[in-house]
Amino acid sequence: MNFKQSFVMTALSLAAVLTSPAVVAGSGHDHSPKHGGVVAEVKDVDYELVAKPDRVSLHVRDHGKAVDVSKATAKLTLLTAGQKQEVELKPMTDRMEATGQFNIAKGTRAVALVTLPGKPAVTARFELK
């Protein structure tokens, strides 16, 4: 292979890498659940809702790294079979959480209004599976 052919092959290989979906999307991070919940991405931040009948928790990750939620606030609205339940989530060590009795079922929709210190509030929407 001569220099020109080598240069063309290198350029084509580089073009293939730069136009791959992962690079084009710009995210470069994994959006899969890490705690067995459902993930919603809002402004490059992942919000993972783990909902059980006696406990709901919200984990927050920015590009795969846990976000400090010690001074964050969050209000969660659960919508199940025409019933609405509002829950205030309290900061814990690595998540925001509430305990109690929650109407959780397949198809439950949840809306979290989350405010992280120094940032505007965001709304994350979930549907439980």
Side-chain angles (χ1 to χ4, degrees), residues 103-118:
N103 191 3
I104 302 294
K106 181 179 179 180
T108 294
R109 294 177 189 257
V111 179
L113 179 63
V114 182
T115 305
L116 298 170

Side-chain angles (χ1 to χ4, degrees), residues 47 58 72-77 87-89 96 110-116 120-126:
Y47 296 87
L58 187 66
T73 61
K75 179 180 168 184
L76 183 68
T77 303
V87 181
E88 184 177 345
L89 301 175
M96 302 185 74
V111 179
L113 179 63
V114 182
T115 305
L116 298 170
V122 297
T123 303
R125 299 177 190 285
F126 307 89

Side-chain angles (χ1 to χ4, degrees), residues 21-114:
V23 174
V24 171
S27 66
H29 64 280
D30 181 13
H31 299 289
S32 65
K34 306 295 184 221
H35 305 281
V38 179
V39 176
E41 181 187 17
V42 181
K43 297 184 179 181
D44 289 330
V45 175
D46 289 339
Y47 296 87
E48 181 178 353
L49 178 66
V50 180
K52 299 184 179 182
D54 62 344
R55 179 183 316 255
V56 291
S57 58
L58 187 66
H59 299 264
V60 184
R61 295 187 310 270
D62 187 355
H63 290 85
K65 296 182 182 176
V67 172
D68 179 9
V69 294
S70 62
K71 295 184 174 136
T73 61
K75 179 180 168 184
L76 183 68
T77 303
L78 297 167
L79 304 165
T80 306
Q83 295 181 347
K84 178 179 174 181
Q85 184 177 14
E86 293 187 353
V87 181
E88 184 177 345
L89 301 175
K90 300 288 184 181
M92 305 297 280
T93 307
D94 62 345
R95 66 196 176 282
M96 302 185 74
E97 187 173 273
T99 56
Q101 295 298 313
F102 307 106
N103 191 3
I104 302 294
K106 181 179 179 180
T108 294
R109 294 177 189 257
V111 179
L113 179 63
V114 182

